[in-house]
Amino acid sequence: LLELEKCPNVDALEADLKDIQLRLKRLNQLEVLLSDVKGKKASSQDLSQPILDLIDELEVSDEPPAKQGRGPKKEKGPRNMQSFRLPYRR
C-alpha cells in the first residue's frame, strides 16, 4: 500500500500530457499560418483575426528573452604564488 502511495498520479500525468500535446499542435498550426505571412516586418495589421486569436490563446509573444545579469566580478590584485617561476636560461 505504501508503494502505491509513492507512485505518481497517472491520471494527472496523462491529462498534463494531453494538454501539452494539444498546445504543441496549436503551436505547429500557428507556425504554418505564420509561414504564409511574407516578410519579417509584418505588423499585427497584416495578420488575420484567426491568427491573432490563436496567438492570444497560446499566450505567445515575440519579445526577446531577458538578458541574464553578469556574474560576480573577479578580485584583482597580487596573487599568492605557491612557488616562484624559474627564469629562462640560455
Side-chain angles (χ1 to χ4, degrees):
L1 186 63
L2 293 175
E3 289 180 18
L4 288 175
E5 290 178 0
K6 291 181 184 178
C7 292
N9 188 355
V10 177
D11 295 332
L13 291 176
E14 287 178 353
D16 289 344
L17 177 66
K18 287 183 181 182
D19 290 341
I20 292 171
Q21 286 176 338
L22 180 62
R23 180 172 170 81
L24 178 63
K25 285 180 185 178
R26 288 184 178 171
L27 286 171
N28 288 334
Q29 179 185 10
L30 179 63
E31 183 180 11
V32 169
L33 292 173
L34 289 177
S35 67
D36 296 339
V37 176
K38 294 184 180 181
K40 294 184 177 183
K41 298 278 182 174
S43 65
S44 62
Q45 298 170 354
D46 299 338
L47 301 176
S48 64
Q49 189 61 35
I51 295 175
L52 293 174
D53 292 340
L54 190 58
I55 289 172
D56 289 339
E57 182 180 334
L58 294 172
E59 299 175 357
V60 178
S61 69
D62 60 347
E63 296 175 5
K67 293 184 178 180
Q68 291 182 340
R70 290 187 168 187
K73 292 187 176 185
K74 294 182 179 178
E75 292 183 23
K76 294 183 179 180
R79 295 187 177 108
N80 296 331
M81 294 188 159
Q82 300 296 336
S83 64
F84 294 101
R85 286 180 48 187
L86 295 175
Y88 293 114
R89 298 186 185 208
R90 293 186 184 191

